[in-house]
Amino acid sequence: MSHPLITKLEQHGPLSGEEKQVLQQITSQVTTYKAHEEVVPEGSTQSHSSLVLKGFAARHQHLTDGKRQITAFHIPGDFMDLHSFLLKTMEDGVGALTPCTVAAVPHSDLREITKNYPYLTRVLWLTTLIDAAVHRTWIMTLGRMDARNRVAHFLCEMHDRLEAVGLTKDHGYDLRITQQELSDAFGLTGVHVNRILQELRGEGLITSHGKTLIINDWEHLQKEGHYNPDYLHIRQKIERD
Amino acid sequence: MSHPLITKLEQHGPLSGEEKQVLQQITSQVTTYKAHEEVVPEGSTQSHSSLVLKGFAARHQHLTDGKRQITAFHIPGDFMDLHSFLLKTMEDGVGALTPCTVAAVPHSDLREITKNYPYLTRVLWLTTLIDAAVHRTWIMTLGRMDARNRVAHFLCEMHDRLEAVGLTKDHGYDLRITQQELSDAFGLTGVHVNRILQELRGEGLITSHGKTLIINDWEHLQKEGHYNPDYLHIRQKIERD
DNA sequence: CGCTGTCTTGAAAGGACTCAACGCCGGTGG
DNA sequence: CCACCGGCGTTGAGTCCTTTCAAGACAGCG
């Protein structure tokens, strides 16, 4: 079976055999989590970074009054906290949304990479820069789009990210996320997300049966969400030297 | 005069004489911009990254319907687009909010650094990770805080960031940003930002005379904005080796 | 001293929230 | 194999925060 991290990094340019071996090596310590388990606790200090091999996870922050905001979704191939390598303390925690398989990569290994593998360092850095670009786009959607737009945008983004790691089929994909969880990502209430999803379904833009989501009218949904996939930098190459 | 980038990076650990010299060298090409000038055009491809030496700048995105969202503010010592080094295309542009002095750092110089200066590479990487942490916090404020909270949070954040580069005085700082620009950062309308600022002034939490902003009741403002500065990672050390 | 951009203010409209209640489905245990 | 249980999705009505649309006051600058 292919390694999701290697697949993801090779989007941006070929890796040498040695580099692949290193990646294979540092991701050999694997743990599994149940749905809703906390993978990285809010406010904890990490000595390793976690990589999703299978399943969905979400990074989130809590307000003192109990409100919750999801700041990022993580799919296979994503580091959930590569930044903990340099940042150490996690202001936001990561929870498993579905059952997850996760590799724990020791920070010491990452430090060795930065010393001896400049190209790997740059690609890993690249992935964190793409994360930041995704964050900025979320800021845009939260700040300036209404509920319909946000939901549409999200469904498009998720499609393209999953497609990049081969987890879509005919514009459809598994989305085992509750409407409550979605609402915590969109900055809305569960009730309102529900109404919006019904609207989109009613207009024939999407079909959803709880677990599987199908985008019936990609063109229109894209327009509805002001969606432009450039910010994901999928398959963007970087130079080796 | 001290170099804002060196000051900023030395927060996280001492730099060697050679490293400082390298930084000095790569930031020697300086340009100035007038207020409201576009420093990095939206959608452009860059061959250098821009560093703010003096003044305020803002990164922003536009929606097709003309709505605008500011995704980040940049103050002296900040790279506005270090990510363009690896990402190349800028989905969001950067505009000068006040007159600005900016250094253009060639990407080729940055690539050399990643090859020959592992520690510098890590600190630079660190700054982009902190940017991402700030983004996540903005996502939180946009998604789950109301207008009052957001404004309060922003005023606290700005204080601490400016303080870290020595641009505050007694809980006061220069904020030459129009209410319209602020509203584009908060995801609100200018009118509403105006009303909120009046509230905060009326309650004695802040004083503002257009250009200068003074926080009179730090404790209370902090609470109002659910503010916790940890995510800024100010003065957080990282290991040299 | 006039101009232009920014700040202020008011009233009405609207999108999203709140609070509840109900139905549905899958999992669990008898 | 079926009945119960709990989480999740769905609905409705009323409320509230923020927007919209104007118009007027103010201040800095040429």
Side-chain angles (χ1 to χ4, degrees):
Chain A
M1 166 201 120
S2 68
H3 189 116
L5 177 59
I6 294 178
T7 309
K8 180 168 165 176
L9 297 187
E10 282 210 305
Q11 278 187 88
H12 305 113
L15 297 171
S16 72
E18 186 186 348
E19 284 163 346
K20 285 192 233 187
Q21 206 180 326
V22 170
L23 292 176
Q24 199 80 56
Q25 222 167 85
I26 65 174
T27 55
S28 54
Q29 198 196 118
V30 175
T31 319
T32 60
Y33 295 86
K34 300 197 201 81
H36 307 120
E37 234 179 309
E38 202 72 359
V39 180
V40 183
E42 221 164 317
S44 66
T45 304
Q46 299 297 121
S47 60
H48 63 266
S49 289
S50 299
L51 174 76
V52 184
L53 295 173
K54 223 153 76 178
F56 276 37
R59 197 180 312 167
H60 56 240
Q61 279 179 239
H62 283 275
L63 238 39
T64 47
D65 59 7
K67 292 204 193 85
R68 184 172 94 122
Q69 174 69 38
I70 288 179
T71 54
F73 284 109
H74 299 296
I75 65 173
D78 291 351
F79 267 105
M80 8 177 105
D81 61 341
L82 185 49
H83 56 286
S84 76
F85 159 45
L86 293 169
L87 250 31
K88 299 301 175 204
T89 58
M90 295 285 294
E91 305 87 39
D92 32 13
V94 182
L97 293 174
T98 67
C100 281
T101 311
V102 174
V105 182
H107 286 163
S108 52
D109 287 356
L110 292 171
R111 196 165 321 112
E112 286 309 309
I113 287 182
T114 64
K115 282 202 261 186
N116 305 317
Y117 297 92
Y119 175 70
L120 268 188
T121 304
R122 283 204 298 276
V123 215
L124 287 175
W125 187 354
L126 173 66
T127 66
T128 66
L129 294 178
I130 294 176
D131 285 350
V134 173
H135 290 155
R136 286 194 293 276
T137 302
W138 280 38
I139 287 175
M140 175 66 162
T141 63
L142 288 169
R144 290 299 186 213
M145 290 190 194
D146 66 16
R148 254 180 89 87
N149 299 157
R150 284 184 220 170
V151 174
H153 186 101
F154 170 81
L155 295 176
C156 291
E157 171 180 316
M158 218 47 179
H159 170 85
D160 284 352
R161 286 176 58 192
L162 289 169
E163 190 184 38
V165 285
L167 293 175
T168 57
K169 205 180 128 189
D170 305 330
H171 281 205
Y173 54 90
D174 255 30
L175 191 66
R176 294 166 197 279
I177 300 180
T178 66
Q179 295 181 353
Q180 179 56 55
E181 286 164 338
L182 289 177
S183 75
D184 280 338
F186 303 152
L188 300 169
T189 57
V191 172
H192 203 232
V193 168
N194 180 282
R195 297 197 231 262
I196 300 290
L197 284 174
Q198 284 182 62
E199 261 183 48
L200 297 178
R201 279 194 302 245
E203 296 162 20
L205 295 185
I206 61 171
T207 308
S208 71
H209 289 90
K211 26 193 69 182
T212 302
L213 186 125
I214 300 163
I215 299 176
N216 300 315
D217 189 343
W218 178 252
E219 284 289 307
H220 195 83
L221 190 69
Q222 207 166 346
K223 193 175 301 166
E224 195 63 54
H226 297 277
Y227 179 72
N228 174 340
D230 290 352
Y231 71 98
L232 293 173
H233 295 269
I234 289 169
R235 276 185 290 287
Q236 187 205 292
K237 307 299 179 215
I238 64 173
E239 296 156 58
R240 263 210 81 86
D241 294 304
Chain B
M1 165 200 121
S2 68
H3 189 118
L5 178 59
I6 295 177
T7 309
K8 181 168 164 175
L9 297 188
E10 284 211 304
Q11 278 186 88
H12 305 112
L15 298 171
S16 72
E18 187 186 350
E19 286 163 346
K20 284 192 233 186
Q21 205 180 325
V22 170
L23 292 176
Q24 198 81 56
Q25 221 166 84
I26 65 175
T27 56
S28 54
Q29 198 195 117
V30 175
T31 321
T32 60
Y33 294 87
K34 298 197 202 81
H36 307 120
E37 234 180 309
E38 201 72 1
V39 180
V40 183
E42 219 164 319
S44 66
T45 304
Q46 299 297 120
S47 61
H48 63 265
S49 288
S50 299
L51 173 77
V52 184
L53 295 174
K54 223 153 81 177
F56 276 37
R59 197 180 311 166
H60 55 239
Q61 279 179 239
H62 283 274
L63 238 40
T64 47
D65 60 7
K67 292 204 192 82
R68 184 172 95 123
Q69 174 68 39
I70 287 179
T71 54
F73 283 109
H74 298 296
I75 66 173
D78 290 352
F79 267 104
M80 8 176 102
D81 62 340
L82 185 51
H83 56 286
S84 76
F85 159 46
L86 293 168
L87 250 30
K88 298 302 175 205
T89 59
M90 295 285 295
E91 306 86 39
D92 34 13
V94 181
L97 293 173
T98 67
C100 281
T101 311
V102 173
V105 181
H107 287 163
S108 52
D109 287 355
L110 292 172
R111 194 164 323 111
E112 286 309 309
I113 287 181
T114 65
K115 281 202 261 184
N116 305 316
Y117 297 92
Y119 176 70
L120 267 188
T121 304
R122 283 205 299 277
V123 214
L124 286 174
W125 187 353
L126 173 67
T127 66
T128 67
L129 294 178
I130 293 176
D131 285 351
V134 173
H135 290 155
R136 286 194 293 278
T137 302
W138 279 38
I139 288 175
M140 174 67 162
T141 63
L142 288 169
R144 289 299 185 212
M145 290 191 196
D146 67 15
R148 256 180 88 87
N149 297 157
R150 285 184 218 170
V151 174
H153 186 100
F154 170 81
L155 296 177
C156 291
E157 171 180 317
M158 218 47 178
H159 170 86
D160 284 352
R161 287 176 59 192
L162 289 169
E163 189 183 38
V165 285
L167 292 174
T168 57
K169 205 180 126 188
D170 304 330
H171 282 207
Y173 55 89
D174 256 32
L175 191 66
R176 294 164 197 279
I177 301 180
T178 67
Q179 295 181 354
Q180 179 56 55
E181 286 164 336
L182 288 176
S183 76
D184 280 339
F186 303 152
L188 300 169
T189 57
V191 172
H192 203 232
V193 168
N194 179 282
R195 297 196 231 263
I196 300 291
L197 285 174
Q198 285 180 62
E199 262 183 47
L200 297 178
R201 279 194 301 246
E203 295 163 22
L205 295 185
I206 61 171
T207 307
S208 71
H209 288 91
K211 28 192 70 186
T212 302
L213 186 124
I214 300 162
I215 299 176
N216 301 316
D217 189 342
W218 179 252
E219 283 291 307
H220 196 87
L221 191 68
Q222 207 166 348
K223 193 174 302 165
E224 195 63 54
H226 297 276
Y227 179 72
N228 174 339
D230 290 352
Y231 70 97
L232 293 173
H233 295 269
I234 289 170
R235 278 184 290 286
Q236 188 205 291
K237 306 301 179 214
I238 64 174
E239 295 156 59
R240 264 211 80 87
D241 294 305

